[in-house]
């Protein structure tokens, strides 16, 4: 599809702004609830057309001019995937652990790391009845992308997820390398042949991808260096550009990790630097912002920070960083758990959601260990997968995560899941 000319797009806007020519098309008064609209005499009328959604109509016409490397059908697809991922009250389950990483978790509770066990476990995470009530997306490892669920008539996992209305995604294979001369800063490598692999992932059913770039804070060593921030954020932007060109909606994950002794103020300063550089790089690369999703860390003091902070302090810090950095075209912020317990992640997400209701972005979750470790603890005594019990607890966890993403979690619902934790950071 050829992009509409800018002049035609502007004409389209002007037509939408023209007053109706006939009295029969005047805007009708509507009731304040969900009942049918009525005229001044109380008669039911045809509802007026809703305003244009962001990313369709004029928005896509203008986007075609700004992003000529993307066809209008591609822009539409990316926008729709981002819209689905930003569904309020739903989040992402991150099941993208490699076979080695998952094997380490299995071995910790006495489970054999076989492909059969991995498929059975992933079937519980990705194909349990009811997960679609709380999930809009699932991140898969490349291995899982090509495996079949043990439920759903043994469909491939991407098809099983699609049938539940959950968008399947994938984590491309990445490797971490140390940047010489930086005192320990790292960079992720995996851009070579990414376009070819992204095309294969799309053909296998994936509709989004995720790339994580970890950043560590070490104030004594002057880390993160400007070099590390610049290189990592540039790579994230180039990954996003390549993914969009192949039809995958990119999730960008700048992860300022929890380790360290830094204060909350330092965490805010570093996160602002990182996210500002990220979106600057994405704009320079020509990344379509409305067709992306952000998966950031929660802005937190270092795990060994000696200063205590309340969960309200943490929520306000996260809201501040969002206000300083995020482009309006972005639709969703799906926080990673980053080594927090499930209870900590729940309570803090709940507080962040309450403090960001006035902001234009959806806030939700994209969690792996926070959801999975409590499930695997159920297997410790039997040294085997307790799939039925795990599935029941998993649904309960997802329900709580959904409530937290809406800011409607209450104490007596989450304290039964894990240790009593009000989300505060207690100084070491």
């Amino acid at each position: 599809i050829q992009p509409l000319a800018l002049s035609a797009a502007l004409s389209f806007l002007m037509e939408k702004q023209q007053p109706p020519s006939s009295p029969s098309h005047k805007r009708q008064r509507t009731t304040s609830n969900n009942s049918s609209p009525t005229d001044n005499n109380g008669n039911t009328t045809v509802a007026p057309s809703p305003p244009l959604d962001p990313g369709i109509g004029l928005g896509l016409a203008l986007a075609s001019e700004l992003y000529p490397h993307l066809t209008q059908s591609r822009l539409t697809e990316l926008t729709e995937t981002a819209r689905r991922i930003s569904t309020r009250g739903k989040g992402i389950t991150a099941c993208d652990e490699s076979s080695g990483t998952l094997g380490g978790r299995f071995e910790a509770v006495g489970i054999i790391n076989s492909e059969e066990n991995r498929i059975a476990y992933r079937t519980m995470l990705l194909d349990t009845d009811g997960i679609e009530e709380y999930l809009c997306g699932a991140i898969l490892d490349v291995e899982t992308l090509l495996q079949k669920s043990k439920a759903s008539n043994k469909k491939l996992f991407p098809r099983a997820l699609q049938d539940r209305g959950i968008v399947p995604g994938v984590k491309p294979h990445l490797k971490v390398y140390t940047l010489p001369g930086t005192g320990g800063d790292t960079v992720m490598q995996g851009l070579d042949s990414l376009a070819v692999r992204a095309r294969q992932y799309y053909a296998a059913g994936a509709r989004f991808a995720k790339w994580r770039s970890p950043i560590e804070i070490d104030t004594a060593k002057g880390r993160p260096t400007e070099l590390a921030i610049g290189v990592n954020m540039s790579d994230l932007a180039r990954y996003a550009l390549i993914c969009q060109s192949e039809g995958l909606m990119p999730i960008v994950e700048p992860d300022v990790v929890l380790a360290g002794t830094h204060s909350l103020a330092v965490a805010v300063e570093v996160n602002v630097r990182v996210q500002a550089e990220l979106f600057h790089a994405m704009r320079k690369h020509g990344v379509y912002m409305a067709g992306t999703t952000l998966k950031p860390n929660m802005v937190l003091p270092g795990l060994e920070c000696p200063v205590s902070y309340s969960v309200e302090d943490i929520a306000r810090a996260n809201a501040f960083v969002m206000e300083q950095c995020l482009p309006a075209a972005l639709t969703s912020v799906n926080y990673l758990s980053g080594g927090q317990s499930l209870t900590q992640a729940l309570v803090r997400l709940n507080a962040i959601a309450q403090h960001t209701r006035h902001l234009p972005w959806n806030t939700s979750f994209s969690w792996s260990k926070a959801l999975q470790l409590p499930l695997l603890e159920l297997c410790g005594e039997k040294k085997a997968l307790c799939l039925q019990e795990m599935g029941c607890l998993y649904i309960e966890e997802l329900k709580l995560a959904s409530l937290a993403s809406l800011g409607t979690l209450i104490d007596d619902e989450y304290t039964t899941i894990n240790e009593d934790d009000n989300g505060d950071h207690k100084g070491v």
Side-chain angles (χ1 to χ4, degrees), residues 176 186 188 212-216 232 253-257:
V176 62
T186 60
M188 302 301 293
R212 173 180 176 261
S213 289
I215 300 287
E216 293 186 3
N232 277 285
E253 183 181 356
D255 180 10
V256 180
V257 300

Side-chain angles (χ1 to χ4, degrees), residues 125-137:
L125 293 173
L126 301 171
D127 209 6
T128 291
D129 287 339
I131 61 172
E132 63 273 12
E133 298 296 321
Y134 312 109
L135 293 177
C136 57

Side-chain angles (χ1 to χ4, degrees), residues 46-61:
V46 176
S49 298
L52 289 174
D53 291 330
I56 65 173
L58 173 71
L60 282 179

Side-chain angles (χ1 to χ4, degrees), residues 65 97 136 157 188 199 216 226-227 243 294 355-356 359 374 386 392 397 416:
E65 293 291 320
E97 303 85 7
C136 57
F157 277 114
M188 302 301 293
R199 202 170 303 136
E216 293 186 3
E226 289 299 325
L227 174 63
C243 284
L294 176 66
H355 280 77
T356 56
L359 300 178
C386 310
C392 292
E397 290 177 333
T416 58

